[in-house]
Each structure stands twice: as structure tokens, then as C-alpha cells.
């Protein structure tokens, strides 16, 4: 009985400890349960994207802040830059209306064209189009673009080989049985004759970082938006001289093409544009564009 | 003594409990310390970017695959779309050279301008510029853009209030002591008078997804690249009629501005462009652009 009276409180305490420990453990498990989804579902949901070109999954294309406010040219560096008066030529209202209409008409004739003539195009025309692309605004005026213009037939062919090889893998993996059933039907989609035929291939690289005077890397925020805007100007410039192209983003070819073209590690392929005159037999899908009231809201 | 012998094991157990509990607690704290950085530093390394607009951290702007190959218009849907001949007007080589040079000269005069005149601009000119932007190519021809044109003074002022409020927070948090030391020096950077003054504010939204006929969401791959290209065309169209703007990406204002402008949840603010004639006293930083050989490589 004395022994029992000695043990009773001990047992009670041990019981309390066990219960307490179990409670703590269950709380711990809960904590793990609420944090790990954050790592295996949350982050992943953002990171696991099988359709994304691996070369582009570097997290650098996220929009960043290039300066204290959101204006692209307001970087602190500019505080020391001399400001100069700016008075571009103006037009009377009637002329503005006419010019705006004419420019729209011209741009509205642009289509993505895959049937490109091998007919040579003066290099200076291409250079002027690229000069035009280079007038685009960019985050903190970093001008994070490199335009690689390929006219050498051998290099064009190597590019075609790389692109078609990757495309074939993409097709076969995606199409599976359908592919085997009717290979020929899809053949035209990954065979890219225009990569050999077009007089120029313009490969647009975005520079995801630059280097500071001290040798350190300088992240180029907004580099993808900036380079895409510059591509918009490039498309306008090409259309303005009667040349055609097709906006393509070859999947998973970036690293190989970068090595082929000997571009540095800070450059990533954003787009590949075959450029030339349209072929005589060129066709385009009979697509319509949204009307103005489908894309604009006035307030 | 008997009492002591009864209490000794009890005391020992209590001591063990206390020690055990403290150990468990410390482990818990450790767990918290290693998981919460996963929220404030680790994932953060990828996700915590104070300079990134929170509204844009949705992972949707990652380049995706819109169709089997990288050509933006080659979607399977198009297999059933009629193809039509395409023969745009061509120009003699001399004319091409001239046009390419003239267009470059015109675009090269474009600058980001923050001093905008309140002088009214015909709405049709703005509409034509947006029509032009709407001719941009887009992944699978999704045309994932909405241009909200604000000319209502009250709405413009509310936009200014939202943008300046956020900018002030950004500034104060970033500048810290420096801010206190010399607040007035930076004042001009977050005070954005042009948001009241410019006759139009164009807020460019990217549609990160659309809806399928069955009501399900349809991801708009490449939506950010597409909308940025379309902004390039918009800049060209505005420059072509003698209007000015500044490419801005207001930090963390997206959600508030989206609600203010009553845009649906699938639209995210990409850019805000104040548009008008340049003010008489307009100045721009005396920046130079890279020469052609700094942005092009011929192979």
C-alpha cells in the first residue's frame, strides 16, 4: 500500500507526460503539414511546368523593380545625367488622324507567314529594322537585347536541324499513338523548311544580367518585357518595308542554339524570326482580329 | 523521510517533464525557424522579391507552350481553319531602304517623356493606336490584351492617388534613413503629376487566362510576351502621330487599379502609359542608345 501510494503520483505524472508529449507531437505534425504543402504544392505549382522551355526557367524573367518607382528610366543613375529639352515634331490634328489610320492599315496587313521566298534582301534593310528595335524603352535603360542575324546557309541549316530535332521529340512525346497512326498528317508542323529558305534568321536573345564596373552581375529587371517590346518595334519595321516573318519561340532549343551561335551565358533565346519576302504561293490561316470594342474600354 | 522518498521520484519525473518539454519546444522553434524562412527567405529566394509587384507573382507569366511547335499561330485549332493566299504589297529595293531608314529615324526620336501637356487629343487617334496594338501576334491567336483608356478626371485622380500612395510606401521603406535625411530630394520621383495632367492614361492588362466553351479556364501561354509585343506596336503608333508617353509598371498597384477599373480576375496590370502631347517645358535625360554593332551580330 505504501509502495502504491508512492507510485500513484509517479504514474499520474508519467501519464501526464505521455499525454502532453502526444499533444506536442500532434501540433508539430500539424505544423509540418501546413508548411510542407507550401513546398511540395505551392512552390511546385509555380515551378513545375512541363510546357516551359527549360532554358527559360531561370526565374530571371520575373518582373523586377529596376528603380525606385515604376518608370523605366527613372533610375538613380539618371539623377546625375543632364536633362535636355525635348520637342519632337508635332502634326496638325487632321494629319494625326490620317497618320494614325494609315499606320493602322499598314500594320493590320501584317500576318505571321511561314512561306518565305529565298530571294535576297539587302542587309541594310535588316540593319535598319534592328536599329529600330533598339529604340525600345528598357528597364533602367539597360537595352538588354542581342539580335543575331544568320544568313550563312550552313548555320541556318544547323539551326533547322536543332529546331526540328527538338520539335520531333516534342511531337512524338505529345502525340503518342496518334503520331504512329498518322505521322504524315503532322509532318508539316515540325518540318520547318523556312529555316533553310529564309534569307535571314533573326534570333533574339534577352540578356538576363549584365556586369557592373566591379565585375559583379547586375540583374536586368524587366528584361523579357523590354525585349518583347523591342520585338514589337522589329515587327513594325519589317512590315513597314514589305518583309514577312513568323514569331516563334522554339521549345527547349535555347541552350543548343546559344552554344551554336556562341552567345554568352547571360543571354537566353527569346524568339526566332525567319525574315524575307513572302513566297509567291504564301498562304495564311483565315483568322480575324478582335474588333476595337473587344480590346478597349473607355472610362 | 518517508514523505521525501515519496516525493523524490515525483520531483525527478517533474524535472524530466520540464526538461523534455523544453527540448520539444526548442525543436519546435527550430522547425519554425527552418520552415518560415522557406516563406521569408528560401522560397523567398525565388519568391520573396520586394521589388516585384505582388499582383504579378502568379506564376502565369512564365512562357508556356501554346501549341505543338513554337510558332504562335500553328495551333491545332488552325488545322480546320481555311488558308487563304497572302500577297502583301512589295516595294522596290530603293524604296525599302528609304522606308527602313525613315521609320528608324522616326522611332529613334521617341523618348520616355514625363512632362505631358493637358491639351486634348482626339479620341480617334488613341483608338487607332490601340487598333494598331491589337494587330500584334499572340500565342495561339488568343489576343490576351485589354487596353483601358482613362480620360475621366476623377478616375485619373484616383489612379494617381493609388500609385503615389504605393510609391511613397516603396520609397519610405527602401530609403530608410536616407529618406528622412533628405526627403525633398526624392519627392519628384513619387509625385506623378502627369497622372492627373495627361489627357489619357492607357492601362494595359494582360489576360492570363480565358474561358473555354465548356466554361473551364484556358491558360493564355506567352500572354506577357504577347502583350509586351503589342505595347511595342502601341509605342510605335503613338510616336507616329507625335504623341508621347512613358512606359511604367506601377509597383504593387495592380490589384487596386484592377478593382478601381472593374476589370475581371483574369486580367493583370502590365503597364500604365500616360499619353498626350509633350509639354512645352518637357525635358528628357541625355541618354544615348547603343550603336548597331552593340546590339547585332551577323553570322
Amino acid at each position: 500500500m505504501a509502495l502504491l501510494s508512492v507510485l500513484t503520483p509517479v504514474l499520474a505524472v508519467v501519464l501526464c507526460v505521455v499525454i502532453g508529449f502526444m499533444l506536442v507531437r500532434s501540433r508539430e505534425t500539424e505544423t509540418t503539414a501546413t508548411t510542407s504543402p507550401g513546398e511540395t504544392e505551392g512552390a511546385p505549382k509555380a515551378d513545375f511546368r512541363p510546357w516551359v522551355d527549360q532554358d527559360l526557367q531561370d526565374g530571371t524573367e520575373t518582373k523586377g523593380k529596376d528603380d525606385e518607382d515604376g518608370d523605366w528610366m527613372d533610375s538613380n543613375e539618371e539623377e546625375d545625367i543632364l536633362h535636355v529639352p525635348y520637342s519632337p515634331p508635332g502634326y496638325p490634328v487632321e494629319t494625326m488622324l490620317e497618320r494614325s489610320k494609315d499606320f493602322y492599315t499598314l500594320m493590320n496587313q501584317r500576318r505571321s507567314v511561314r512561306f518565305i521566298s529565298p530571294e535576297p534582301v539587302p542587309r541594310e534593310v535588316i540593319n535598319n529594322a534592328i536599329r529600330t528595335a533598339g529604340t525600345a524603352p528598357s528597364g533602367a535603360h539597360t537595352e538588354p537585347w542581342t539580335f543575331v542575324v544568320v544568313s550563312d546557309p550552313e548555320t541556318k541549316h544547323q539551326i533547322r536541324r536543332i529546331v526540328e530535332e527538338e520539335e520531333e521529340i516534342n511531337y512524338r512525346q505529345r502525340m503518342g499513338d496518334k503520331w504512329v497512326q498518322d505521322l504524315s498528317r503532322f509532318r508539316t508542323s515540325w518540318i520547318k523548311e523556312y529555316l533553310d529558305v529564309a534569307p535571314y534568321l533573326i534570333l533574339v536573345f534577352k540578356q538576363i544580367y549584365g556586369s557592373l564596373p566591379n565585375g559583379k552581375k547586375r540583374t536586368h529587371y524587366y528584361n523579357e518585357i523590354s525585349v518583347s517590346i523591342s520585338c514589337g518595334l522589329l515587327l513594325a519595321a519589317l512590315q513597314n518595308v514589305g518583309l514577312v516573318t513568323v514569331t516563334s519561340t522554339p521549345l527547349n532549343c535555347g541552350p543548343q542554339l546559344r552554344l551554336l551561335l556562341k552567345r554568352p551565358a547571360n543571354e537566353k533565346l527569346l524568339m526566332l524570326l525567319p525574315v524575307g519576302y513572302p513566297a509567291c504561293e504564301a498562304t495564311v490561316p483565315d483568322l480575324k482580329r478582335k474588333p476595337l470594342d473587344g480590346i478597349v474600354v473607355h472610362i
Side-chain angles (χ1 to χ4, degrees), chain A:
Chain A
M1 213 38 209
L3 188 72
L4 214 77
S5 75
V6 169
L7 285 180
T8 306
V10 175
L11 277 170
V13 168
V14 167
L15 217 82
C16 286
V17 172
V18 170
I19 292 170
F21 196 77
M22 280 168 72
L23 278 170
V24 168
R25 273 300 294 262
S26 81
R27 270 188 53 200
E28 244 186 296
T29 320
E30 242 175 80
T31 318
T32 320
T34 50
T35 54
S36 98
E39 279 155 17
T40 58
E41 263 189 64
K45 237 175 207 164
D47 285 344
F48 178 67
R49 300 169 300 230
W51 61 81
V52 174
D53 191 321
Q54 294 304 312
D55 190 38
L56 293 171
Q57 284 186 324
D58 50 22
T60 54
E61 27 274 334
T62 50
K63 296 113 308 310
K65 190 129 182 49
D66 48 280
D67 48 56
E68 271 64 37
D69 70 5
D71 294 358
W72 284 14
M73 315 282 281
D74 260 346
S75 69
N76 280 338
E77 295 160 46
E78 267 184 45
E79 279 176 25
D80 302 323
I81 291 174
L82 185 73
H83 276 242
V84 292
Y86 180 71
S87 52
Y91 308 98
V93 165
E94 266 318 303
T95 312
M96 284 176 80
L97 275 165
E98 214 172 288
R99 286 179 71 90
S100 70
K101 212 171 134 186
D102 290 350
F103 191 64
Y104 164 61
T105 306
L106 179 64
M107 289 302 129
N108 198 30
Q109 285 168 13
R110 192 199 57 77
R111 292 298 309 266
S112 292
V113 177
R114 282 169 201 76
F115 304 91
I116 297 176
S117 159
E119 196 184 335
V121 170
R123 174 169 297 199
E124 192 57 14
V125 171
I126 300 297
N127 278 343
N128 283 338
I130 287 170
R131 281 189 181 99
T132 307
T135 68
S138 56
H141 195 53
T142 45
E143 302 173 275
W145 37 66
T146 305
F147 300 90
V148 180
V149 180
V150 180
S151 53
D152 171 56
E154 181 48 38
T155 310
K156 284 198 289 180
H157 192 66
Q158 282 178 289
I159 291 171
R160 177 178 176 180
R161 214 168 35 76
I162 290 170
V163 172
E164 287 188 347
E165 220 164 71
E166 283 296 329
E167 289 295 281
E168 191 180 349
I169 293 168
N170 293 334
Y171 268 73
R172 283 183 189 272
Q173 285 180 347
R174 278 225 188 87
M175 307 247 151
D177 286 348
K178 261 170 99 186
W179 172 268
V180 182
Q181 282 168 26
D182 194 354
L183 184 133
S184 60
R185 186 177 161 223
F186 298 100
R187 245 180 179 266
T188 48
S189 304
W190 57 270
I191 298 290
K192 307 210 176 287
E193 216 182 336
Y194 59 68
L195 294 177
D196 266 328
V197 172
Y200 297 100
L201 305 181
I202 303 182
L203 292 97
V204 186
F205 287 83
K206 54 178 186 171
Q207 299 166 358
I208 57 172
Y209 60 85
S211 43
L212 290 166
N214 63 6
K216 283 192 177 168
K217 287 180 187 179
R218 176 198 192 189
T219 307
H220 284 173
Y221 299 118
Y222 298 108
N223 69 74
E224 186 161 297
I225 298 180
S226 306
V227 179
S228 300
I229 290 176
S230 123
C231 281
L233 293 176
L234 181 61
L235 293 180
L238 295 172
Q239 175 65 11
N240 180 60
V241 293
L243 294 175
V244 297
T245 186
V246 52
T247 315
S248 82
T249 44
L251 197 67
N252 290 325
C253 303
Q256 287 180 79
L257 293 176
R258 183 176 73 76
L259 291 175
L260 174 71
L261 302 172
K262 301 188 175 61
R263 300 312 306 158
N266 68 330
E267 296 188 3
K268 306 255 178 191
L269 184 68
L270 185 66
M271 281 181 226
L272 191 167
L273 307 174
V275 175
Y277 299 103
C280 301
E281 73 279 12
T283 62
V284 293
D286 193 18
L287 293 171
K288 300 290 174 237
R289 292 189 170 118
K290 290 181 185 171
L292 181 67
D293 63 12
I295 63 171
V296 81
V297 176
H298 280 280
I299 293 176

